[in-house]
Amino acid sequence: MRLRITALILLLFVILFPLRVLALELNFEGQKDFWTDVYLQIIADELTGQKTYLTDWSYGQSFDLHFQGEDEMSYVRGYITDNPQLMDQTFLDVLIKDYTLQWNNYDQAFAVPSWFNMNQKFTGLRAGFMNSTDRINLSGVQGDMILREDDILITPGAEKYGISLFYAPVSTESFQIWLDNRELTYYEDYVVDYNLGIVQLKFPVVKPGVLHVKYFQEGQGYLVFGGRYDHAFSPKLEGGGLMMLARGEGINYGLLGSEWIYHYKPWWTMELNAGLVLQTANPLEGDLVSTGYYNELTGDPVVNDEDDLVSVQEDMNEKISDNLLSGEIDDGWKDSLLIDTNWRIANYFELPGMEMMIDYQVIENNMQNLLFGGWEGKKLSISGQYEKDNFFIRHQQNHQWTLDNYLFQRDGELEMVYFTEHWIPYLYYSLQEQSGYVSQHGIAELGYMIDLMEDLGSMTYQLGVDIETSPEEGIWHGLEPYLGVRYDKNVEDSLGARIYGQRGGKFAQLIVDGKWSEGPLEWKGNLHYLPEYYRIEQGVVWNDLSVDVNLNSIYRKYFADDDEYLNLELNLDWSTFLEEQAMVWVSLLRDRIDGELERNYKIGFEKAILDNLTGYGEISIGDIEQYYSGGIRGSRGPIDYDVNYTWSKSPDLIGSLDILTQKNKVAFSAGILDFWNTYGEVEIDNLGQWQGDLGVQYPIQPQLDVGLQYSVDKIVDYSHQMTLRTVYHF
């Protein structure tokens, strides 16, 4: 098998690259296995004693191959796996001078990602060529999910039944729903059956509306293939073009595009992208804007009652009927060609201490989420920063419009700080607006810093105000002036506190945080105290003793309903000092919610008994579950072994009864790595149920392994199962 694999690899490269392959030295290792399973199960009826015999057999194979090779200007590396217990994977990466060849999983269709949405996943082949002036990329890949967008008309009472999406199953990633331009929140407003593609609303629907659902459909792969060419015309000008086709269920796109980069000055770069998207579409598929359901300028719904909803549906049916009668659509379907234009212009400025970027995009068709971050519309992004010895300012803002020039989202930030010998003024402002809801946040702070004597660090006193707006009311609220002080010993060690107030002199919150190290001792922690609750989190590490100490704790306390949470963990490690394994850990958990207290205490250890023998154990005592576990593991000559015992007690629901179940389990394993192995376990509970396994695997020849496993359980009836497995290594 090794010779056959080697010959295929060398032959491939001799044909493709007859000159370069002579310098390659390939090293690889591979393994191929073939196994068969013989399955026998005996079920005995407890009352009659009648036995039922079930038999089955199966076979399979696994294949693992890893190879690599390189010389001064070339390399080849990759692996191939085919194993039903793991995900099949194929990876290939070849470089022969200026040529590349790859088979892998990618996050964009081409190696140059400036056009493509990096949230997509692809698998397939990419090839390329690159020298000092030219770059060629060819791609043939498969996408694993298709973006779907559904507009679903709903009527009052729709929350009483599930709303079916047009496609299923649905991916849990990037699932979004809007009702009349308001985005809904998962679990608070709705739940989803992802397998069936059914949405269940959790609030009453009192008037007709439209659900706009954006999601990925799983299991519907599609192909993306094309090419790209780029050329450096001069040190200042680079440009090129690309062509791409996407084919799949509901996907039939073509892209002709071009990209140009002009370095006008060393500090000024301009970029221009333009492309035509050709789409084969079905004229029966229309959006609700074209039917008059949405206002084209504002994007707001214009249907207010059930009569209007019926009218909209009748208009859509009438348009379809007219097309059918006029012969424009044969048998209800006729492909038509749609052409959309995408373009983008950007400017980048970079000088010492200053950066600036202006980016404007118009995206009429994102090719089913393949392009430009998966959005459609118009977008303007501006960002920049300026930094000097004692001054820093940063600014960024984004505006997004629909293609009908309706501003539906904008956000921005402005941050500025100035340093003098003592004074440090600081300003921060942010704004976010989406679908008419606006939220703003601002901070104004004045700090006064004093350098302490004898290299003791510095002390900074802070006076500021923190203010934000309500998205619903659009007015300023939450005005919180604050006082603060911070001590900085050095870059690593600092302590600080800030106290916030509200209108009328009321207390709002207190924040204390810091980190400190002193020799072998390291500490970090924070306190957040509000009128509703307070939270303390801290950690301590001490390494200069005969034992390494690590202590972590979290405590949270609510005042109104007496809810509290405590999690304390302590780890003691003597391994470094004793030069052998020796550890003890202790933890405490207390959680009180709505007057119900749940506690859990744990203590565990690991200790080397002899040179090749370690004992271990853990005890967990809780209000809901308890268990004790312990065992030994070690080695004797070439044999590794592990023997352990576990007792557990936990509540269990059997039918409509709450039963307290106690279980005892004994398990062992022994064997020689990559040679033979035997294992077994028995578990018995207080309800008279029990189960057990016993197995062994042994190589009877250098290339042949044989395994035998016997399993038995008694839940209602006795069940016996025996499996014989043979594995052949080619």
Side-chain angles (χ1 to χ4, degrees):
M1 190 65 181
R2 291 178 179 269
L3 292 177
R4 209 172 294 169
I5 295 174
T6 305
L8 287 174
I9 295 175
L10 290 177
L11 180 61
L12 174 65
F13 289 106
V14 168
I15 294 174
L16 296 179
F17 311 101
L19 298 180
R20 298 307 309 165
V21 74
L22 299 178
L24 285 174
E25 178 183 353
L26 290 177
N27 299 310
F28 64 93
E29 57 183 74
Q31 176 177 310
K32 186 170 183 179
D33 302 329
F34 177 83
W35 68 82
T36 60
D37 291 340
V38 180
Y39 173 84
L40 172 65
Q41 185 176 18
I42 305 173
I43 301 176
D45 189 287
E46 189 174 14
L47 297 178
T48 65
Q50 183 178 359
K51 296 181 179 179
T52 303
Y53 298 87
L54 300 176
T55 61
D56 193 9
W57 69 277
S58 61
Y59 67 92
Q61 65 175 355
S62 69
F63 177 69
D64 299 275
L65 172 66
H66 297 257
F67 54 90
Q68 63 180 13
E70 60 182 309
D71 70 356
E72 295 179 356
M73 303 183 65
S74 308
Y75 64 76
V76 55
R77 54 186 177 227
Y79 57 81
I80 301 172
T81 66
D82 177 16
N83 192 327
Q85 298 177 352
L86 304 172
M87 294 185 63
D88 297 341
Q89 296 180 354
T90 302
F91 168 75
L92 176 66
D93 187 10
V94 181
L95 171 67
I96 306 293
K97 197 176 180 181
D98 298 329
Y99 298 88
T100 60
L101 182 68
Q102 292 180 321
W103 181 285
N104 200 5
N105 300 320
Y106 312 103
D107 55 9
Q108 66 263 346
F110 288 155
V112 183
S114 56
W115 278 82
F116 302 102
N117 180 11
M118 297 188 66
N119 294 323
Q120 289 285 298
K121 300 296 182 185
F122 300 97
T123 301
L125 186 67
R126 295 197 313 202
F129 167 83
M130 185 174 65
N131 58 22
S132 58
T133 59
D134 297 282
R135 180 177 59 206
I136 300 174
N137 293 106
L138 301 175
S139 179
V141 296
Q142 180 175 352
D144 56 358
M145 294 187 296
I146 296 181
L147 177 72
R148 304 294 189 186
E149 292 192 64
D150 300 344
D151 285 320
I152 305 173
L153 299 171
I154 60 173
T155 56
E159 75 280 359
K160 299 177 182 178
Y161 51 85
I163 301 171
S164 296
L165 302 176
F166 296 159
Y167 302 95
V170 176
S171 170
T172 58
E173 301 178 6
S174 303
F175 191 93
Q176 294 175 285
I177 297 183
W178 293 263
L179 175 58
D180 296 340
N181 285 336
R182 181 179 70 87
E183 185 170 1
L184 305 182
T185 303
Y186 179 74
Y187 193 76
E188 180 180 337
D189 297 323
Y190 68 93
V191 293
V192 182
D193 186 324
Y194 294 101
N195 290 326
L196 300 178
I198 297 177
V199 177
Q200 181 70 55
L201 300 179
K202 300 182 69 174
F203 57 88
V205 178
V206 296
K207 66 176 183 178
V210 164
L211 282 180
H212 180 74
V213 190
K214 185 177 181 179
Y215 59 96
F216 284 101
Q217 179 192 7
E218 291 185 330
Q220 292 294 329
Y222 59 96
L223 298 177
V224 179
F225 49 93
R228 173 175 180 142
Y229 172 71
D230 297 277
H231 178 73
F233 295 91
S234 69
K236 289 187 174 182
L237 180 62
E238 304 171 27
L242 64 89
M243 180 190 72
M244 186 174 74
L245 298 176
R247 295 290 185 268
E249 182 184 350
I251 292 183
N252 193 9
Y253 294 94
L255 171 65
L256 295 174
S258 182
E259 179 175 278
W260 297 86
I261 300 175
Y262 182 53
H263 305 280
Y264 179 68
K265 296 289 185 180
W267 49 270
W268 184 4
T269 300
M270 293 179 285
E271 184 174 341
L272 174 64
N273 299 341
L276 294 177
V277 176
L278 291 79
Q279 175 184 0
T280 303
N282 174 18
L284 289 178
E285 295 177 352
D287 56 30
L288 293 172
V289 174
S290 64
T291 66
Y293 183 83
Y294 278 122
N295 184 300
E296 295 186 7
L297 295 179
T298 65
D300 295 328
V302 297
V303 174
N304 297 314
D305 54 38
E306 212 163 331
D307 293 337
D308 287 342
L309 179 64
V310 173
S311 177
V312 168
Q313 293 173 331
E314 290 177 348
D315 289 344
M316 293 179 66
N317 294 334
E318 184 177 351
K319 290 180 181 179
I320 294 173
S321 299
D322 291 342
N323 290 334
L324 289 171
L325 293 175
S326 64
E328 294 183 8
I329 305 176
D330 298 329
D331 298 327
W333 296 93
K334 180 179 180 180
D335 291 338
S336 62
L337 184 64
L338 304 178
I339 301 178
D340 296 304
T341 303
N342 299 332
W343 61 276
R344 169 177 176 259
I345 185 170
N347 286 269
Y348 305 92
F349 307 90
E350 186 173 357
L351 291 170
M354 185 180 74
E355 298 178 7
M356 186 174 180
M357 183 271 293
I358 303 174
D359 189 335
Y360 182 68
Q361 306 178 33
V362 177
I363 310 302
E364 295 183 355
N365 193 325
N366 65 29
M367 291 181 60
Q368 203 76 353
N369 206 49
L370 288 173
L371 305 179
F372 300 105
W375 63 275
E376 294 176 351
K378 303 177 182 179
K379 182 177 181 180
L380 174 64
S381 299
I382 301 174
S383 65
Q385 68 178 45
Y386 175 74
E387 183 175 4
K388 209 173 180 180
D389 296 337
N390 58 346
F391 178 71
F392 174 81
I393 184 170
R394 177 182 65 87
H395 169 256
Q396 67 90 17
Q397 59 177 309
N398 300 292
H399 294 75
Q400 287 188 247
W401 298 267
T402 65
L403 294 173
D404 299 320
N405 298 316
Y406 170 67
L407 178 63
F408 69 92
Q409 182 173 334
R410 63 174 176 142
D411 62 80
E413 280 186 318
L414 175 64
E415 184 178 26
M416 183 177 66
V417 61
Y418 181 73
F419 298 91
T420 66
E421 184 178 358
H422 296 290
W423 295 100
I424 308 175
Y426 173 80
L427 292 174
Y428 174 81
Y429 172 77
S430 69
L431 177 145
Q432 289 187 338
E433 178 182 358
Q434 184 169 4
S435 302
Y437 293 97
V438 180
S439 61
Q440 302 176 75
H441 183 207
I443 300 174
E445 177 183 297
L446 181 62
Y448 185 77
M449 183 177 66
I450 301 175
D451 290 327
L452 303 179
M453 300 178 62
E454 299 180 358
D455 298 328
L456 294 179
S458 63
M459 187 77 72
T460 303
Y461 301 93
Q462 302 161 330
L463 173 64
V465 59
D466 192 314
I467 186 172
E468 60 183 358
T469 64
S470 167
E472 292 79 14
E473 301 174 3
I475 60 174
W476 290 97
H477 81 107
L479 177 65
E480 297 184 354
Y482 62 87
L483 293 171
V485 60
R486 174 167 292 277
Y487 169 65
D488 294 285
K489 181 181 179 182
N490 50 48
V491 178
E492 298 293 332
D493 302 331
S494 63
L495 293 171
R498 284 180 293 175
I499 184 169
Y500 293 76
Q502 292 179 337
R503 295 176 181 176
K506 296 181 179 180
F507 168 77
Q509 59 178 319
L510 171 67
I511 298 177
V512 181
D513 61 359
K515 54 182 180 178
W516 199 268
S517 60
E518 197 68 40
L521 180 64
E522 298 179 6
W523 170 87
K524 63 178 180 180
N526 64 75
L527 164 67
H528 195 181
Y529 192 96
L530 296 95
E532 297 83 12
Y533 74 95
Y534 66 90
R535 183 179 187 274
I536 302 174
E537 182 176 356
Q538 58 183 339
V540 177
V541 178
W542 198 348
N543 293 323
D544 196 29
L545 298 173
S546 58
V547 56
D548 295 334
V549 181
N550 194 326
L551 175 65
N552 295 281
S553 67
I554 299 175
Y555 181 72
R556 182 176 63 245
K557 172 71 174 179
Y558 290 86
F559 300 117
D561 46 18
D562 203 32
D563 289 352
E564 64 175 353
Y565 174 86
L566 171 64
N567 189 357
L568 181 66
E569 297 179 352
L570 173 65
N571 189 294
L572 306 175
D573 191 345
W574 289 270
S575 301
T576 303
F577 178 75
L578 298 178
E579 297 182 350
E580 63 181 26
Q581 191 74 7
M583 296 175 58
V584 172
W585 58 89
V586 180
S587 69
L588 164 65
L589 174 66
R590 288 171 53 91
D591 192 7
R592 185 192 302 272
I593 301 178
D594 297 331
E596 297 290 333
L597 178 62
E598 178 184 343
R599 296 164 295 184
N600 185 267
Y601 308 90
K602 287 183 182 180
I603 182 171
F605 76 94
E606 284 190 16
K607 179 65 174 68
I609 303 173
L610 299 172
D611 290 342
N612 297 318
L613 182 64
T614 299
Y616 61 91
E618 185 174 76
I619 300 175
S620 175
I621 302 176
D623 294 323
I624 296 179
E625 182 180 10
Q626 300 90 39
Y627 68 83
Y628 314 111
S629 178
I632 56 173
R633 63 171 176 263
S635 61
R636 186 175 181 85
I639 301 176
D640 298 322
Y641 58 89
D642 190 324
V643 181
N644 58 79
Y645 166 77
T646 301
W647 176 90
S648 62
K649 180 173 69 173
S650 61
D652 196 3
L653 184 63
I654 301 179
S656 59
L657 301 177
D658 289 326
I659 305 296
L660 192 63
T661 304
Q662 299 182 28
K663 297 180 180 180
N664 294 269
K665 184 173 73 172
V666 177
F668 76 93
S669 65
I672 300 176
L673 184 63
D674 295 331
F675 190 48
W676 65 271
N677 181 54
T678 182
Y679 56 90
E681 69 174 40
V682 177
E683 183 179 83
I684 305 174
D685 63 28
N686 60 325
L687 302 178
Q689 301 174 349
W690 62 280
Q691 62 182 21
D693 296 296
L694 180 64
V696 62
Q697 183 169 329
Y698 186 80
I700 59 176
Q701 292 184 9
Q703 292 181 298
L704 181 62
D705 297 343
V706 175
L708 179 65
Q709 177 175 308
Y710 171 72
S711 302
V712 58
D713 63 69
K714 179 184 179 297
I715 299 178
V716 178
D717 298 329
Y718 282 98
S719 175
H720 305 265
Q721 176 179 321
M722 184 173 293
T723 302
L724 174 65
R725 165 167 291 193
T726 60
V727 180
Y728 184 77
H729 307 277
F730 287 88

